[in-house]
Amino acid sequence: MAPEQINELIVGKCVKRLGVEQGSIHLLGESDTDPTKTLVRVMAPSQGGLPMRLGIQLTGWMYKNRRPLLVNDLATDERFSGADTKNLPIKSVLSVPLELKGA
């Protein structure tokens, strides 16, 4: 099985098991023009095919803090007070950084 298929399988099972609308794996790059690359994105069938993206605010927080993040109510979370969360259809976020040792 190819690495891409393994990634998709893992994210798909997480989406189903956690009962969430969407899951993804992003690769953090070293370029300022393209800071992340989406390796895999899986959406629940009820999602309707519209990917939700929080953008650079989440990527920046994860890069700076390098620890798991759980947000129960995005609209009231002070860590994202500068983001335009009112127009996002996202209520909660779970994000976990995965790092390669020695990298």
Side-chain angles (χ1 to χ4, degrees), residues 8 11-24 40-52:
E8 191 166 331
V11 174
K13 289 196 177 280
C14 288
V15 166
K16 185 175 180 180
R17 180 78 170 155
L18 294 172
V20 297
E21 294 177 352
Q22 160 175 177
S24 62
V40 63
R41 180 181 307 272
V42 175
M43 291 175 273
S46 63
Q47 179 62 26
L50 178 64
M52 295 182 196

Side-chain angles (χ1 to χ4, degrees), residues 42-62:
V42 175
M43 291 175 273
S46 63
Q47 179 62 26
L50 178 64
M52 295 182 196
R53 297 184 181 163
L54 187 53
I56 197 70
Q57 292 88 359
L58 178 59
T59 303
W61 193 95
M62 293 305 297

Side-chain angles (χ1 to χ4, degrees), residues 37-84:
K37 176 182 178 185
T38 302
L39 294 181
V40 63
R41 180 181 307 272
V42 175
M43 291 175 273
S46 63
Q47 179 62 26
L50 178 64
M52 295 182 196
R53 297 184 181 163
L54 187 53
I56 197 70
Q57 292 88 359
L58 178 59
T59 303
W61 193 95
M62 293 305 297
Y63 187 74
K64 178 181 174 187
N65 294 282
R66 297 178 186 262
R67 62 186 172 97
L69 172 68
L70 175 61
V71 177
N72 289 314
D73 187 358
L74 187 63
T76 61
D77 193 287
E78 62 187 38
R79 293 170 287 198
F80 297 94
S81 61
D84 182 18

Side-chain angles (χ1 to χ4, degrees), residues 30 66 98-103:
E30 297 178 5
R66 297 178 186 262
L98 302 173
E99 293 187 66
L100 182 64
K101 281 190 170 189

